[in-house]
Structures are given as structure tokens and as C-alpha cells.
Amino acid sequence: MTQEQEFEEQVEVTLKNIRDLLITKGKEYRRNNNPYYNFEVGARITGETPEKVLHGFLLKHLVSMADIRNDISSGIEINPDKVEEKWDDALVYLIIEKAMILSRIENQK
């Protein structure tokens, strides 16, 4: 398999995983048909915006991703499943954040 084919295959696998995660986790965390429920409740508890709460949730994945990069540099063996999990979760949070911010902009009009 060429490098280009490997890349294209990984893109397809990632897109499928992201779609599945958004649907599965969306159902798990949604309350009252609100996909931002956890972030809005977190905002009420912390006094931050829902977007900042979301970023806090994302931060643990970003730290894990940095750890993986550091481990690779140190020659530590990395489990590919861990890479899939952390990067897919981070992408899901970024997609939710994008939707949340666009919704906020739309509602401010």
C-alpha cells in the first residue's frame, strides 16, 4: 500500500469514527434535546462560558496527545488504539465547539 493510500484509508476510518462518536456520545450526553447540555450546566457551575467549559474537557485529551508525542520522541511504544481514541475525541470536541460557537453567533443576530 502506498503512503497516499494509507493516508486516504486513515481519513476514511477517522471520518467514520468521528461520525459514530458524534452520534453515540451525542445521545449519551444530550438532555432535553440539547447537544450542549453538559457544557451549559458546567458553565452555570463554574461561571465560565459553555465554550470554555468544553475547552476544559478537551484539554485532558490535548495533554494526552502531547504525552504521546513525547513518548514517541523517547522511544516508548505507543498503542495505536490510544492514538485513535485521543485524536478522535479531540476532533469530536472541536466539531462540537465549532457548532456551539456558530450557534451562539447565529443567536446573537
mmCIF file of all heavy atoms in Angstrom, residues 14 92 99:
data_model
loop_
_atom_site.group_PDB
_atom_site.id
_atom_site.type_symbol
_atom_site.label_atom_id
_atom_site.label_comp_id
_atom_site.label_asym_id
_atom_site.label_seq_id
_atom_site.Cartn_x
_atom_site.Cartn_y
_atom_site.Cartn_z
ATOM 1 N N THR A 14 -11.117 7.577 10.070
ATOM 2 C CA THR A 14 -11.317 8.652 11.046
ATOM 3 C C THR A 14 -12.678 9.298 10.873
ATOM 4 O O THR A 14 -13.389 9.537 11.863
ATOM 5 C CB THR A 14 -10.193 9.698 10.927
ATOM 6 O OG1 THR A 14 -8.939 9.061 11.195
ATOM 7 C CG2 THR A 14 -10.403 10.851 11.904
ATOM 8 N N VAL A 92 -13.851 15.359 17.878
ATOM 9 C CA VAL A 92 -15.265 15.471 18.250
ATOM 10 C C VAL A 92 -15.501 16.744 19.050
ATOM 11 O O VAL A 92 -16.439 17.506 18.770
ATOM 12 C CB VAL A 92 -15.733 14.220 19.028
ATOM 13 C CG1 VAL A 92 -17.062 14.478 19.738
ATOM 14 C CG2 VAL A 92 -15.852 13.027 18.106
ATOM 15 N N ALA A 99 -19.711 24.031 16.221
ATOM 16 C CA ALA A 99 -21.168 24.143 16.127
ATOM 17 C C ALA A 99 -21.714 25.061 17.211
ATOM 18 O O ALA A 99 -22.608 25.879 16.964
ATOM 19 C CB ALA A 99 -21.805 22.759 16.224
#
